[in-house]
Each structure stands twice: as structure tokens, then as C-alpha cells.
Amino acid sequence: MSTLILHLPTARPGPATEYSYTLTADGHTALRHATAAAALLPEPTRPGGEVVAVVPARLLSWQRVQLPPGLPLGPGQQTPRLRSVLEGLLEDRVLDDATQLHFALQPDAQAGAPLWVAVCDRAWLREHLQALEAAGRRVSRVVPEFAPGPTTSGGPELCALGTPEEAYVVLTGQGPDLGVAVLPLTPMALTLARAAAPATALAGAADAADESTLPVRAEPAVAALAERTLGHQGQRMTLYTSSQRALDAARSDWDLAQFDLASTGRTRALRKAGSALSSALYAPQWRAARWGAGVLVVAHLVGLNALAWTERKALAAKQAGVRSTLTQTFPQVQVVVDAPVQMERELALLRQAAGSVSARDLEPLLAAAGAALPEGQLPTALEYTPGELRLRGVTLSPDDEAAIAVRLQAAGYRARMDDGSLLLRAEGNP
């Protein structure tokens, strides 16, 4: 699915607000990356594409809570009661008034088990969504820039972001009970990350010459500063552009558009189906499957064409055999147009010459009708054409008509009532 991914600015929207965006056709490769006002943002490149808004890590707070058992948590069950329960649990953990904050539960959350709740300023988020909708870019999903949970490396990871004047690092993958931490870009951040590393990673580093190195990524604007700050500890940097960050965030299972900001169930279902189809059509991990499906389709087409060619060849051989039989049996036939019809005509001429009758002649038709008609049923008039006999003045009940049709069919004739008369035809007669 074609996707327009927007980084929401940290300030509230205004006339001069611009959004950093990434446009992708498959969710894995960026087609374009730039900054523009809401009214000048591009549209998704394919019909049905979605717009995804990314909430910066600095504007999100992550809280670990456990909701009472039996509390419904489904997408269509985010009721005011659930909102009140969350406000009561988080009231003493947040600095702002809980009624002014927006809450979003982790995907597949279950009551009675610990779960993550993302918290941000509700008015700020609503105003940005309304500004984008007013510009014709309705946001279908809101995702966090970074989310708790396992990372690609399986351990803690650092990401240096911001500007040289205001640089910071985001620490993720600290474990199931620690969320996303935003820290100043100092050596202490790397020390905290190494302290949060699992024991297995530290044990594996015991045999190494240096301390365990953790994955550290940096935005190009602060890459040099991160290298100077953390590089003296033997840490190597990997560039991590904002477009790559946007693509990774958009592939997240999170959707912060919940409660009063939630989209409809139909929209969620269509978005899920579109994302699955887009992944199957464009995602790199499905490339082998797409090639396999293409080869299978080509093989089927080749097989069907080969089978059709064989059937056409067999049919042509049978038609040639019928024509050959006709011309060999009746040498006077020079031009073959419809071999079965011409052969039947020649056979009829032979019977006439020999004085014999066929099932299409009058005498067999009269004999079959006389044997099938009920006693006392006599026609008042006869009309005969080759292969067809019409008996007028015959009156039959539906049961008698069905019985006569069965008896005549056994003799090789078809019978039916037509315009107050009984019509008999020889089988095969057009």
C-alpha cells in the first residue's frame, strides 16, 4: 500500500507549520523525502493509500500498568469507563492533569496482565490531526517514533537525534519492564545502555578485547557529535536517516489513534487488508514468494496452451477421419461442408433407391404414434414433413402426455403438445 508518513512537529500547528514527510510505495523504500506545509503535502501514489503520523519520542511517556481482570479492551470497546480507569491508575505518575492527556494501549492488550500505555498531550495531537484533515490529508494511523519491546539486535539500542545545539539519544530495548528513554547525548547514556544489556550479552563480551559494543545509530545532523561523544569508548556509529526512521515506525503494530481519536472498525479492517496486500506485493521478504507465484502462473499458462494444442490436434484428426469416411463411402461427394449431414442425406437417398424406410418417414412415425396414443384418441388431421408428424384433434391430460413422451422416447422419438396438437419428431431431427 502506498503510504505518506508524516513527522509531527513538537509545537502546535500554525499557519507556518511544516511537516517532514516520507513517501513510499511499498512501506520499505522511500520514494521521496522532504518538508512541506500541510496544504502542499503530496498524496499517496496509489488509490487507497494511507497517511501515517509519527509522534516524536520526546513527546511520549510510557507507563506500565495492569488493568483489572474482565475489563474489555478491544478496538470497539474503548469506553469512558476504560478511560476513567486509566486516569485513576496514571494520575500519580504523570506531571500534567490526566484529563488533558491522550492514552493509547499497546496492541493486543489483555486485562489482568501488565501492558504499556503511551501518553501524550491530547490537545496537541488533536490539533495536528485536524490541521492535516483540513488540508485533505486525513491521518488513518498514528504511530510512535520508538516503542517498547524487543529490538532488531535483541538488546538495548541507542539512536542519536536532534540538532548539534539540541542533541539527544533514544534508548530502546531495555527489557519487558522498561520503556523508551530519552536522554541527553552524553557518555552516561551509553553507560546506561550497557547496564541494561542482558547478562548473556555481557558474558559473551568477556572474551572480547573491549567492552560489549551496542548498536548506536545517529541522524546525519548529529553523527559527528555522537562520534565525538561516544566514539572514544570504542563505539561505532551507523547513519540512520529520518526517512528510515519513518519507514520503521510506520511498520509498527502500534496505533495511537484510540478513544476519541479512534478510526472506525471498517477503516481499520481496510487498512489491515491493504497493508497485508502491499506487503505481499512489494516487501523484500516476499520477493521469493512473488517469483515462485510468477513461475507457477507461467507454468500453468504453458501447460494449458500445450493441452489446448493437443486437443485441437486430436479434434482436427477426428474431423479429417469423418471427412475421409464420407468421401470414401460416397465418392460422388466432392465438397465436404458438414460431413454428418451430408452422410445422412446420402443414406436417405440410398434408402429411397432401395425402397426401404427410415425412422424419419411417415410410416414409422404413424406406427409409433398409434402404439403410444391412449385407446380412443384419434386425430382429426395429419401434417407430415420429413422427420416430423403433427396429429391434430388429440386431447391429452398432463399424465397422458408424460406417459406418451416416455414411450416415444424409448422408440427414438420426441413428443410434445403444441398449439392443441401432438407433435412427433425423430431424435436428431433439427
Side-chain angles (χ1 to χ4, degrees):
M1 178 184 292
S2 175
T3 307
L4 175 65
I5 309 171
L6 306 174
H7 278 281
L8 299 182
T10 56
R12 291 193 172 185
T17 300
E18 292 188 338
Y19 295 87
S20 174
Y21 70 85
T22 298
L23 189 63
T24 176
D26 57 7
H28 296 268
T29 306
L31 297 178
R32 194 191 321 166
H33 174 76
T35 301
L40 301 179
L41 290 171
E43 294 184 2
T45 57
R46 291 187 178 88
E50 65 173 352
V51 179
V52 177
V54 179
V55 178
R58 288 185 295 175
L59 298 187
L60 279 175
S61 170
W62 298 95
Q63 303 295 333
R64 189 78 161 166
V65 300
Q66 183 169 333
L67 297 177
L71 192 64
L73 303 179
Q77 299 173 317
Q78 294 174 344
T79 60
R81 175 175 173 240
L82 176 58
R83 167 83 192 188
S84 299
V85 171
L86 288 174
E87 289 180 0
L89 292 173
L90 300 175
E91 185 176 8
D92 296 333
R93 302 192 193 180
V94 295
L95 299 177
D96 298 326
D97 185 359
T99 60
Q100 305 299 319
L101 299 175
H102 175 69
F103 302 133
L105 304 179
Q106 73 177 49
D108 303 323
Q110 296 181 359
L115 56 88
W116 285 107
V117 178
V119 183
C120 69
D121 184 88
R122 182 163 52 177
W124 167 84
L125 181 57
R126 181 188 290 113
E127 289 176 10
H128 274 292
L129 297 181
Q130 290 174 347
L132 290 169
E133 184 172 359
R137 301 297 181 268
R138 181 181 178 85
V139 175
S140 55
R141 193 157 55 99
V142 182
V143 298
E145 189 176 26
F146 297 91
T151 59
T152 305
S153 63
E157 293 183 1
L158 282 174
C159 184
L161 304 175
T163 62
E165 297 77 18
E166 192 179 355
Y168 61 95
V169 293
V170 178
L171 175 58
T172 56
Q174 304 175 76
D177 297 324
L178 295 177
V180 177
V182 179
L183 307 168
L185 179 55
T186 62
M188 182 59 68
L190 185 58
T191 303
L192 291 175
R194 286 175 173 168
T200 53
L202 295 177
D207 299 332
D210 299 327
E211 294 183 72
S212 174
T213 58
L214 298 174
V216 177
R217 295 173 294 181
E219 206 171 22
V222 295
L225 178 61
E227 184 75 28
R228 290 194 303 270
T229 305
L230 306 177
H232 68 279
Q233 300 188 34
Q235 195 66 51
R236 291 184 299 176
M237 303 294 131
T238 302
L239 287 181
Y240 192 40
T241 64
S242 58
S243 60
Q244 292 173 328
R245 196 164 69 253
L247 293 171
D248 291 342
R251 290 195 294 269
S252 169
D253 294 333
W254 278 84
D255 187 0
L256 304 183
Q258 300 181 23
F259 293 99
D260 56 327
L261 301 180
S263 55
T264 63
R266 180 175 178 270
T267 302
R268 287 192 299 270
L270 291 175
R271 183 173 64 244
K272 186 175 181 180
S275 298
L277 179 61
S278 175
S279 178
L281 291 177
Y282 303 104
Q285 60 267 31
W286 288 95
R287 184 176 293 112
R290 292 194 294 270
W291 274 102
V295 171
L296 185 62
V297 169
V298 171
H300 273 76
L301 290 176
V302 172
L304 288 174
N305 279 279
L307 180 61
W309 177 80
T310 304
E311 292 295 329
R312 286 196 299 268
K313 187 176 180 181
L315 179 61
K318 291 180 180 180
Q319 291 174 341
V322 171
R323 289 194 297 269
S324 176
T325 301
L326 173 61
T327 55
Q328 290 177 6
T329 306
F330 303 101
Q332 67 274 18
V333 178
Q334 300 297 324
V335 179
V336 179
V337 179
D338 191 335
V341 174
Q342 289 176 278
M343 186 173 292
E344 185 177 359
R345 186 182 302 117
E346 295 297 328
L347 288 173
L349 293 175
L350 287 177
R351 282 195 295 269
Q352 290 178 359
S356 61
V357 295
S358 69
R360 296 164 53 86
D361 292 331
L362 177 61
E363 293 84 351
L365 285 168
L366 287 174
L373 284 173
E375 186 176 355
Q377 287 286 349
L378 297 176
T380 59
L382 301 176
E383 294 181 6
Y384 167 75
T385 56
E388 182 177 296
L389 176 64
R390 184 181 295 273
L391 305 177
R392 297 192 179 275
V394 176
T395 304
L396 300 175
S397 65
D399 293 339
D400 290 338
E401 183 181 352
I404 289 176
V406 172
R407 286 196 292 269
L408 288 173
Q409 187 174 13
Y413 297 96
R414 289 178 294 171
R416 63 182 177 88
M417 294 299 296
D418 180 56
D419 193 21
S421 60
L422 180 63
L423 180 63
L424 278 73
R425 286 182 177 177
E427 288 285 355
N429 186 50

